[in-house]
Amino acid sequence: VHRIDKETSGTMIVAKTDVAHSRLVEMFAAHDLDRRYQALVWGTSIKGGGIIDQPIGRASFDRKRQAITTKGRNAITFWKTLRQFPPFGSHIECRLETGRTHQIRVHLAHIGHGVIGDPLYGRAPRAAQMPDNFARNGLSQMRKFERQALHAAYLGFSHPVTGEALSFETPLPADMASLLELIEGTVSARARGETGIFG
């Protein structure tokens, strides 16, 4: 019924009948679903919550990339911060109003908070931006994450035939959970003044 980006984990809908498929497609077109993602992003200036309302279209300089462009299609992302881990990044939730290609990744990069591990849009901080060697070591470990740290965590919608309210949640996959533990552990260890946990 819909797609999620390659290397993004999480929940998807698959229709079993033509009738269900047709009605679900109509729901997506009308934005009549509750789609929430969790992301681990670089930077900690993303506080509270907000909305990103910027059109997205194919980048003129690279056919594989999307970009903010006045010639693009309407795209709206709501976001809220769940936790922050200075000096590295933040754990956020995004709710999609629209569903453009690479929407969350492009929107978050646009406001300076690219998704960790995103090879197209997720520009990581430089080692020189870290306050000490301990933080630089932690950053080096985080930069090794092998996909964008983006997870389709929640999907809510009405059953396409009965109208029953349905919702589905899936927890963070093992790799993102491990990345979150690494970030949490590094921040906690720095706060305690520990050193040398990276061998």
Side-chain angles (χ1 to χ4, degrees), residues 15-26:
K16 296 173 66 177
T17 68
D18 288 342
V19 171
H21 181 271
S22 177
R23 292 181 181 173
L24 286 165
V25 168
E26 290 174 359

Side-chain angles (χ1 to χ4, degrees), residues 110-169:
H110 176 69
I111 62 171
H113 294 280
V115 178
I116 294 175
D118 188 339
L120 290 180
Y121 314 104
R123 183 180 300 174
R126 300 187 306 275
Q129 294 176 279
M130 295 293 102
D132 51 47
N133 285 333
F134 191 81
R136 284 188 278 276
N137 287 335
L139 175 65
S140 177
Q141 297 297 312
M142 294 166 203
R143 291 179 68 140
K144 294 177 181 178
F145 195 67
E146 295 183 343
R147 68 173 178 93
Q148 62 261 16
L150 182 61
H151 177 69
Y154 179 90
L155 196 53
F157 58 98
S158 298
H159 191 284
V161 177
T162 67
E164 176 188 1
L166 301 173
S167 63
F168 301 92
E169 291 186 71

